[in-house]
Amino acid sequence: MVQKAKILLVDDRPENLLALEAILSALDQTLVRASSGEEALKALLTDDFAVILLDVQMPGMDGFETAAHIKRRERTRDIPIIFLTAINHGPHHTFRGYAAGAVDYISKPFDPWVLRAKVSVFVDLYMKNCQLKEQAELLRLQLAGAGDSREPAGLLAELSGRLAAVEEQAEALSKQLDDDSADASAVATAAHLERKLTGLRRALDALEPGTGSGTPTLPSQS
């Protein structure tokens, strides 16, 4: 059973959070509310998120400061952040958002379909990355218990089949990003995922009979 991705919604106004939930409910993922920057940072201590929708104008710790804290933490620095703002102060304001680590910067009122589509891309990338980690961890566990070199061929076939399914989905997602002229950050994330898939495929190929007896190096989980 595939676990749902978590999406963090950060806004100090309850009506804005309610509107975001209405827009994103069609994605059928887990939506987590935070009414302040401090509350968002607390949620990020324990849960993993596919993407963060972060309001810029908040009392106390604003969106820029919150994003800076998120990017300083090793655990959360790679989570995509989409800034939402009701005020547009020109290019300098937008540049500050990207400098703080945002992958996108959307002014209110925004097109609900566009926002949902952007969030969907990052959810898909997150899910593919989770699948890759699960396959890599399964392989690590099997390698750890295979000191007697009696690794069953059936296990390798099963792992190869599961990896092929992830590879096919990742390829389809990359083609979708190319067709939709998606954000450069999303394209870069997809390319990083494909490189990790390639590394895992090479590790599996190295375990096939006749390809050598050394233990393959598995791709990093970062």
Side-chain angles (χ1 to χ4, degrees):
M1 184 175 181
V2 178
Q3 186 175 2
K4 293 182 179 181
K6 291 183 178 180
I7 302 170
L8 183 58
L9 313 177
V10 189
D11 200 303
D12 62 297
R13 302 182 64 177
E15 62 270 25
N16 289 343
L17 290 171
L18 187 61
L20 287 173
E21 288 176 338
I23 292 170
L24 300 176
S25 61
L27 298 179
D28 193 29
Q29 304 300 326
T30 301
L31 306 177
V32 179
R33 286 189 175 199
S35 58
S36 66
E38 292 84 355
E39 193 173 321
L41 294 176
K42 184 177 180 180
L44 288 162
L45 287 174
T46 55
D47 290 327
D48 294 324
F49 292 91
V51 61
I52 302 170
L53 273 62
L54 180 58
D55 184 41
V56 172
Q57 302 295 128
M58 294 188 295
M61 184 184 297
D62 65 13
F64 296 130
E65 188 177 354
T66 302
H69 281 288
I70 293 172
K71 293 303 178 182
R72 279 199 292 266
R73 293 178 178 177
E74 184 176 358
R75 173 188 173 92
T76 59
R77 65 179 53 167
D78 294 326
I79 301 176
I81 298 174
I82 299 177
F83 271 137
L84 304 175
T85 179
I87 303 175
N88 189 351
H89 293 294
H92 176 72
H93 198 254
T94 303
F95 175 78
R96 186 182 176 191
Y98 287 117
V103 298
D104 210 338
Y105 196 97
I106 302 177
S107 297
K108 304 174 185 177
F110 45 77
D111 185 328
W113 187 91
V114 171
L115 179 63
R116 188 162 53 242
K118 288 177 179 289
V119 172
S120 178
V121 168
F122 289 109
V123 168
D124 285 345
L125 289 171
Y126 174 83
M127 298 300 284
K128 300 300 183 297
N129 195 40
C130 286
Q131 291 178 34
L132 174 60
K133 287 182 178 181
E134 289 174 0
Q135 304 307 320
E137 182 61 22
L138 178 59
L139 179 57
R140 289 178 192 277
L141 291 174
Q142 295 297 334
L143 287 173
D148 57 1
S149 300
R150 291 181 296 176
E151 186 75 12
L155 172 63
L156 289 178
E158 180 183 354
L159 287 172
S160 182
R162 291 184 181 183
L163 180 57
V166 178
E167 289 171 331
E168 183 178 351
Q169 293 171 354
E171 182 180 358
L173 181 59
S174 295
K175 290 181 179 178
Q176 177 186 338
L177 291 175
D178 291 339
D179 293 340
D180 295 342
S181 299
D183 300 325
S185 57
V187 175
T189 303
H192 178 61
L193 175 60
E194 287 190 337
R195 288 195 296 272
K196 291 166 72 175
L197 284 169
T198 300
L200 187 54
R201 171 58 66 187
R202 289 174 178 169
L204 277 177
D205 290 345
L207 290 174
E208 292 292 339
T211 58
S213 58
T215 300
T217 301
L218 296 181
S220 169
Q221 295 304 296
S222 60

